[in-house]
Amino acid sequence: MLLHALSKNHNKVVGMKPIAAGKENGKWLDVELLRTAGSVQVTDELLNPYALEQAIAPHIAAQSQGIEIDMSTIENAFHALGELADYVIVEGAGGFMVPVNATQDTSDIARLFDLPVILVVGMRLGCINHALLTVQAIRSAGLQLFGWVANCIDPEMRAVKENIAALRFRIEQPLLGTVPYDSAPDFQALSRLIDLSGLDSRRRDSR
Ligand SMILES: Nc1ncnc2c1ncn2[C@@H]1O[C@H](COP(=O)(O)OP(=O)(O)OP(=O)(O)O)[C@@H](O)[C@H]1O
Ligand SMILES: C[C@H](N)[C@H](N)CCCCCC(=O)O
Ligand SMILES: [Mg+2]
């Protein structure tokens, strides 16, 4: 949805999944989704430098395959994608502070490139605490939270509106959109719910 939303104003957008853990039917789903949503075709080596077999924490999945995740491999791929596209959206794995090797975690990927962070909050009981802790972690990593997305992953959740309001009140950065529960999403159509106009003003500000 983010890639489709960006494509409206920018020709060349690409997704990156530095580390994918877990195959489904022989494929890494996030990698397939990102490849389809991007407007620039790139190799899997750039889009997804680390494709791990098991759907478990990446440092454990990597270790079980005798692989060590090396940030310089991710860095090279990211820079190569940056040459090919106007925007690269980098998807994390499992959250903001998930270990990728003995000393580094997913927040280090964002730090390596000083990326503005988009926090996707899976709306369910416990998400307020989870989201606010993540906002604090983003700040203490020295990164900028660009905005957040409310993703309605639980069709049974009670007081969804009130929960979103509670987060809006407590998170300074904008809510970029609310994604409804949808078991067969049309990402292109749903992208109308995402507002990334702040990215362009951010670009203007930095000139
Ligand atoms: N809005 C939604 N409506 C219905 N199901 C959803 C929604 N968002 C996510 N899901 C389902 O929840 C599961 C986990 O979602 P998803 O894979 O997008 O999480 P993720 O945060 O990208 O995970 P990872 O960090 O591993 O990439 C998937 O089965 C997905 O289909
Ligand atoms: C496999 C899964 N979909 C994610 N890619 C990895 C989740 C790792 C979570 C690690 C943890 O916080 O305990
Ligand atoms: Mg994902």
Side-chain angles (χ1 to χ4, degrees):
M1 288 173 62
L2 294 169
L3 285 164
H4 285 298
L6 265 180
S7 294
K8 285 169 198 152
N9 292 322
H10 304 278
N11 292 332
K12 294 190 283 178
V13 301
V14 76
M16 179 185 191
K17 179 86 183 177
I19 303 161
K23 264 198 228 179
E24 278 169 59
N25 304 321
K27 290 182 170 180
W28 285 270
L29 186 59
D30 281 350
V31 178
E32 298 300 310
L33 292 175
L34 291 176
R35 191 191 299 113
T36 309
S39 59
V40 181
Q41 288 314 304
V42 297
T43 62
D44 277 1
E45 284 70 31
L46 297 184
L47 197 158
N48 173 223
Y50 290 101
L52 304 169
E53 298 290 322
Q54 295 189 67
I56 52 177
H59 71 299
I60 303 173
Q63 198 177 31
S64 75
Q65 291 177 235
I67 295 170
E68 168 133 24
I69 292 174
D70 179 351
M71 286 293 184
S72 65
T73 302
I74 295 173
E75 193 171 4
N76 292 338
F78 177 78
H79 289 307
L81 291 175
E83 295 290 316
L84 299 170
D86 301 321
Y87 280 100
V88 183
I89 294 191
V90 182
E91 182 179 351
F96 186 69
M97 253 179 90
V98 172
V100 301
N101 57 34
T103 57
Q104 291 168 301
D105 61 55
T106 45
S107 74
D108 290 302
I109 300 176
R111 271 222 304 237
L112 190 62
F113 312 121
D114 197 23
L115 296 175
V117 179
I118 294 176
L119 169 64
V120 180
V121 180
M123 298 306 302
R124 62 177 164 207
L125 191 60
C127 71
I128 297 178
N129 171 62
H130 198 167
L132 296 178
L133 283 172
T134 304
V135 169
Q136 214 169 75
I138 292 166
R139 193 176 303 137
S140 58
L143 289 166
Q144 185 222 344
L145 177 66
F146 174 73
W148 65 284
V149 174
N151 184 19
C152 299
I153 56 172
D154 175 6
E156 310 285 314
M157 186 184 188
R158 282 178 282 175
V160 175
K161 265 194 191 158
E162 291 81 351
N163 275 262
I164 293 175
L167 284 172
R168 282 186 96 161
F169 185 69
R170 289 168 177 79
I171 300 177
E172 189 185 318
Q173 289 77 12
L175 173 62
L176 305 172
T178 299
V179 181
Y181 183 84
D182 188 341
S183 54
D186 173 344
F187 297 112
Q188 164 88 68
L190 286 168
S191 69
R192 73 182 191 286
L193 302 174
I194 302 287
D195 177 7
L196 290 179
S197 52
L199 262 188
D200 292 315
S201 52
R202 188 175 181 274
R203 211 182 204 192
R204 274 196 299 278
D205 291 347
S206 65
R207 276 191 194 138

